[in-house]
Amino acid sequence: MKRGNGFPTASPGKKAKVSKPKPKESDYCDVDPLHDENGNAVWPAKREDIERAKVFIKACAKSGQKTLLVPDKDADGLSSGVILYRTLTSLGLDRSLIDVHLVRKGYTMHDEDERSVMKTKDPRYIIVLDQGSIKAPPVIDSPETKSLIIDHHLSDDFPKNAEVVSACHYPPVATSSLLTYEICKEIAPSEDDFDQTCAYLACIGTHGDLGNTLKWAPPFPNLNPTLKQHTKKAINDAVALLNAPRRTAKRDVSVAWDALLASTSPKDLVKSPRLLAARAEINEEVERHTHAAPKFTPDGRIAVLKINSEAQVHPVIATRWAGYLSSKLLEIVMVANYGYLPGKVNFSCRIARSARGRDPPVNIIESLKAAAALSSDGLRDRLGTSFARGHKEASGGIVDVEAFEEMTELLKVGEKPEKKEGETSSRKKKSALETTPQKNKIANYFKKI
């Protein structure tokens, strides 16, 4: 019996099919960091900024004075806050001197009402984590209070008189929790104790912002031993649970903060009844609104979905649709929520999965600014300071309903593309494909399994 040579053979007259190798998927860390004049990588932020932050934190711990932490509401912000809290106590600051301010629904830390509430706590040190920044007055109106901002959101403007350490210009951009981890590990009294109590927090915060497929390649620290110790599943489940309370209509972020501060591992979080209840509420709300039909701009670059929910589910739905919609033209998926705040539209944008890795890369912030610039009568100003905030890959805003509607009209959302000159609309015979009932309806994508 004659043996084959192990290669596929083609029938006479037919070409052999050659399978194309799948392109290697790029990882978040697959970018070259910036280097200083000595050839050293500048990561996660400028060395001089990191050194100033270390001096600030050590002085705060030794002061024995009231300290206020202002972490953002998501897994990354909360993890940053707990890392800082544990670092301060390990350096000697009494727990009774540490207070936490969680920004209320519909506000930012820069709003006067929030600044007044923070001032009533009479802190001598304020550390703001992962809040995003704009050009603003001092964090609070108190000349005796010193402020430090630790962040990674894209911004070159910050509150007046604050010390700042930002990762936003130093790729691969570290999350706020990872930036805080890198700063604090250099001043922690015990490296082993610090890793035991804070490394899993850095993993939770980083997976919360960057997803669970991150390879933790250099210049990121090797936290794979931590992932192995606690398991990726427990860490990713913890992310979903910590993000749930801030998405509910009530938005009781203190539930997530209290649970995370009391935890010794991610598995403590997956047992929390209050976190589990919040996640169940959000899952139900997402399922209720995720079937909204998208409308597209005539050029096919932006898909817009409109929902009406008191819960903060628009980012979740935007992420979900960005993973399912696929087109050579599509770049951005935008979900606009008309029900989260009265008179406002809270919207979230994500890069469509089919658009990731394009050259040049999609920049949501620049695309939103370009959309506002289509107006000739000051729409950009009417959109306010909470427009196009966040990251190039994940942005959004909180704007007046009228301004948002004006922007979508300028983008011609829902309008069909104009026919090019010379195009005909001759009707073709229906193919077998066209007469076959469609089976892959969008509702099928979101069936419960």
Side-chain angles (χ1 to χ4, degrees):
M1 183 170 123
K2 190 174 180 181
R3 297 185 180 183
N5 58 10
F7 292 95
T9 57
S11 302
K14 290 185 179 181
K15 292 183 179 179
K17 289 184 178 180
V18 180
S19 59
K20 293 182 180 179
K22 289 183 179 180
K24 181 184 175 183
E25 289 190 11
S26 61
D27 182 63
Y28 184 81
C29 295
D30 290 346
V31 294
D32 292 327
L34 301 178
H35 291 81
D36 61 21
E37 62 275 9
N38 298 317
N40 300 313
V42 183
W43 190 90
K46 286 196 294 187
R47 174 44 58 178
E48 53 265 38
D49 292 345
I50 291 174
E51 292 300 325
R52 281 196 294 267
K54 287 162 57 179
V55 169
F56 185 102
I57 294 167
K58 287 190 288 187
C60 173
K62 290 178 181 178
S63 71
Q65 294 183 316
K66 285 185 180 180
T67 298
L68 183 63
L69 303 182
V70 190
D72 194 26
K73 59 195 175 296
D74 64 2
D76 187 34
L78 296 171
S79 297
S80 306
V82 175
I83 291 172
L84 216 298
Y85 187 105
R86 291 178 177 176
T87 300
L88 288 171
T89 57
S90 72
L91 290 170
L93 187 62
D94 194 276
R95 293 172 184 270
S96 65
L97 294 171
I98 305 176
D99 203 348
V100 178
H101 179 73
L102 301 169
V103 178
R104 294 168 295 171
K105 179 178 179 178
Y107 291 87
T108 73
M109 60 162 281
H110 308 291
D111 292 328
E112 285 303 317
D113 285 351
E114 291 296 307
R115 295 178 70 234
S116 296
V117 172
M118 288 189 284
K119 186 178 179 180
T120 62
K121 299 176 186 286
D122 194 29
R124 286 299 171 264
Y125 289 85
I126 295 182
I127 303 176
V128 178
L129 304 115
D130 195 43
Q131 290 283 359
S133 287
I134 60 173
K135 187 177 182 179
V139 178
I140 65 170
D141 291 323
S142 171
E144 296 84 16
T145 302
K146 298 175 181 178
S147 303
L148 170 65
I149 292 173
I150 299 176
D151 210 340
H152 70 139
H153 294 88
L154 184 62
S155 181
D156 291 311
D157 297 313
F158 300 94
K160 192 175 179 182
N161 301 333
E163 291 282 2
V164 177
V165 56
S166 174
C168 73
H169 292 305
Y170 305 98
V173 176
T175 60
S176 292
S177 56
L178 189 54
L179 175 58
T180 307
Y181 173 85
E182 289 290 301
I183 294 168
C184 291
K185 76 177 182 182
E186 297 184 12
I187 57 176
S190 167
E191 185 177 343
D192 290 341
D193 289 347
F194 179 78
D195 277 342
Q196 187 64 33
T197 59
C198 294
Y200 78 89
L201 298 170
C203 290
I204 288 173
T206 301
H207 278 213
D209 264 22
L210 302 183
N212 55 23
T213 60
L214 185 73
K215 292 184 171 61
W216 290 93
F220 276 31
N222 180 16
L223 292 184
N224 287 308
T226 303
L227 294 169
K228 187 175 181 180
Q229 176 189 352
H230 296 290
T231 75
K232 277 188 178 182
K233 184 181 186 309
I235 284 170
N236 296 330
D237 286 346
V239 169
L241 288 164
L242 288 171
N243 280 331
R246 55 114 170 184
R247 297 193 190 284
T248 62
K250 188 177 178 182
R251 197 183 186 262
D252 189 359
V253 182
S254 65
V255 171
W257 170 263
D258 292 342
L260 190 59
L261 185 61
S263 70
T264 58
S265 77
K267 291 181 180 177
D268 293 335
L269 301 169
V270 301
K271 299 173 185 176
S272 168
R274 296 181 73 188
L275 290 179
L276 290 166
R279 185 171 67 172
E281 178 185 334
I282 290 305
N283 286 346
E284 183 179 340
E285 191 71 0
V286 168
E287 180 62 26
R288 203 156 67 89
H289 292 281
T290 202
H291 304 288
K295 292 185 178 181
F296 297 83
T297 53
D299 59 9
R301 292 176 57 237
I302 303 174
V304 180
L305 300 90
K306 295 182 178 182
I307 65 172
N308 194 312
S309 173
E310 291 184 6
Q312 193 189 42
V313 293
H314 37 285
V316 180
I317 295 172
T319 299
R320 181 177 287 199
W321 275 91
Y324 287 114
L325 290 175
S326 181
S327 161
K328 290 182 179 179
L329 299 175
L330 183 63
E331 294 180 357
I332 297 168
V333 175
M334 176 189 296
V335 177
N337 189 350
Y338 285 71
Y340 189 65
L341 294 173
K344 300 284 185 181
V345 174
N346 291 62
F347 69 97
S348 292
C349 300
R350 299 292 183 266
I351 295 177
R353 186 176 182 180
S354 56
R356 295 170 195 165
R358 287 185 185 168
D359 188 18
V362 177
N363 185 323
I364 295 177
I365 290 177
E366 291 304 318
S367 295
L368 290 173
K369 289 179 179 178
L374 294 171
S375 166
S376 57
D377 64 347
L379 173 61
R380 179 63 188 87
D381 292 334
R382 294 195 297 280
L383 288 166
T385 57
S386 292
F387 172 74
R389 297 276 302 278
H391 309 280
K392 292 179 285 186
E393 304 84 0
S395 184
I398 306 169
V399 301
D400 291 338
V401 172
E402 295 80 6
F404 183 81
E405 290 292 331
E406 184 178 345
M407 183 178 72
T408 56
E409 286 177 13
L410 288 169
L411 289 170
K412 300 182 179 180
V413 175
E415 295 185 19
K416 293 181 179 179
E418 294 181 6
K419 288 182 180 178
K420 294 178 181 178
E421 197 173 332
E423 275 189 354
T424 60
S425 57
S426 58
R427 183 164 180 165
K428 296 179 180 180
K429 291 182 179 180
K430 287 186 177 181
S431 65
L433 179 62
E434 290 173 316
T435 55
T436 303
Q438 184 178 351
K439 294 181 180 179
N440 61 332
K441 295 178 181 178
I442 194 65
N444 296 337
Y445 284 119
F446 303 120
K447 281 183 178 178
K448 291 183 178 178
I449 297 174

